[in-house]
Amino acid sequence: FRRVLFRSQIVFSILEKHPSIVEEIFLTKEIEPKLFRKFMDVGAKVIRPDNKKAQALAKGGNHQGFLLKIKPYEFATIEDIKKKDFIVVLDGLSDVGNIGAIIRTAYALGADAIVVSGLKNLNVAPVVRTSSGAMLDMPVAEVHNPNDLMNELKQLKFTLVGADMDGVEVTTLQRQKGQKIALFLGSEGDGLSGKVKKKLDLKVSIDMSNNFDSLNVSVAAGILIHSLIKIK
């Protein structure tokens, strides 16, 4: 069930913006004829599963009566990613909720691409869902070894910036005209790996008014992306 999406909001969004990726439509309840015609216009097979089957497809999630099976996701190539000016690299993040939230925020704030590194197999469907479909609207690539990627980015004159509590406060930075940035974000529990930290050009942090040791990684990502893009 790795390619099944569910819940009305994401289902309707995909039907409107990306109908070509839909393979099968699952409806568990009766809907008005006008809405049903929209589903039929997609050209995909419409299936009416019983509740047990629908719950299995949604892995127990609240599907709200609407589910889609989508075509295999096409990841961007690293060659495509290297042509961008502002990319976000996720170093070892595994929580699909955080990954989806970061992709959604990065897309909204104007980042050019996302690279997911350190995962053997990213479960795409829940990331598409938690990103509210933003994963389908911006380039997302996978790499297994972030160190090789960092070497390639350095050769292309990217400034490698990493989120770290010991870094300089991000709002104090000045970005040079045309400066290409790769922002590295570590996992919630461990942060950036030691190997990644060694290759960074700069570490950045977020100044907090109250005594609190950290923010959720997706929240921190939004602040850092906004700050770094804003100073370009």
Side-chain angles (χ1 to χ4, degrees):
F1 309 140
R2 296 178 67 85
R3 291 189 279 130
V4 173
L5 299 170
F6 54 89
R7 292 183 187 154
S8 58
Q9 182 181 15
I10 186 64
V11 166
F12 294 153
S13 175
I14 289 176
L15 289 178
E16 181 178 344
K17 297 173 65 177
H18 302 282
S20 63
I21 72 170
V22 178
E23 285 191 339
E24 293 178 335
I25 299 168
F26 301 89
L27 300 175
T28 67
K29 57 185 179 183
E30 295 297 324
I31 56 177
E32 60 183 39
K34 184 177 180 181
L35 180 57
F36 185 74
R37 283 196 297 272
K38 286 187 177 181
F39 282 95
M40 293 299 294
D41 287 344
V42 173
K45 184 178 180 181
V46 177
I47 301 170
R48 291 191 175 275
D50 58 29
N51 286 330
K52 185 177 180 180
K53 175 66 173 178
Q55 283 296 107
L57 288 170
K59 294 186 177 180
N62 180 15
H63 53 74
Q64 299 175 335
F66 303 95
L67 306 95
L68 297 178
K69 180 182 177 183
I70 61 173
K71 295 178 181 179
Y73 181 78
E74 293 187 12
F75 285 94
T77 68
I78 293 301
E79 293 305 313
D80 290 334
I81 298 295
K82 290 190 295 187
K83 297 174 184 177
K84 307 299 183 180
D85 293 323
F86 190 108
I87 66 175
V88 179
V89 183
L90 309 183
D91 174 34
L93 268 75
S94 58
D95 184 278
V96 294
N98 280 331
I99 295 173
I102 291 171
I103 292 174
R104 179 180 181 178
T105 299
Y107 179 67
L109 294 177
D112 297 317
I114 297 283
V115 178
V116 180
S117 70
L119 290 183
K120 291 183 178 180
N121 193 3
L122 179 63
N123 193 351
V124 169
V127 179
V128 172
R129 187 176 71 250
T130 55
S131 73
S132 297
M135 188 177 184
L136 303 172
D137 295 313
M138 75 180 304
V140 178
E142 280 187 307
V143 295
H144 297 297
N145 188 342
N147 298 297
D148 292 341
L149 173 64
M150 296 179 85
N151 291 335
E152 294 181 51
L153 293 176
K154 276 182 175 288
Q155 292 177 3
L156 295 170
K157 307 301 182 184
F158 272 85
T159 300
L160 308 186
V161 180
D164 189 83
M165 292 180 63
D166 296 327
V168 299
E169 212 288 309
V170 66
T171 58
T172 66
L173 298 179
Q174 291 186 336
R175 184 177 172 188
Q176 299 175 359
K177 185 177 181 180
Q179 184 180 15
K180 301 172 71 165
I181 289 180
L183 172 63
F184 286 75
L185 301 168
S187 64
E188 182 104 42
D190 301 324
L192 293 170
S193 64
K195 291 182 178 179
V196 167
K197 282 186 179 182
K198 289 180 181 178
K199 289 182 178 291
L200 293 172
D201 298 308
L202 181 67
K203 298 176 185 177
V204 293
S205 63
I206 299 167
D207 184 31
M208 289 181 278
S209 298
N210 295 308
N211 185 21
F212 203 72
D213 59 353
S214 66
L215 297 171
N216 174 277
V217 64
S218 64
V219 174
I223 296 171
L224 294 172
I225 293 168
H226 180 266
S227 298
L228 291 168
I229 288 180
K230 188 176 180 181
I231 61 175
K232 67 181 180 180

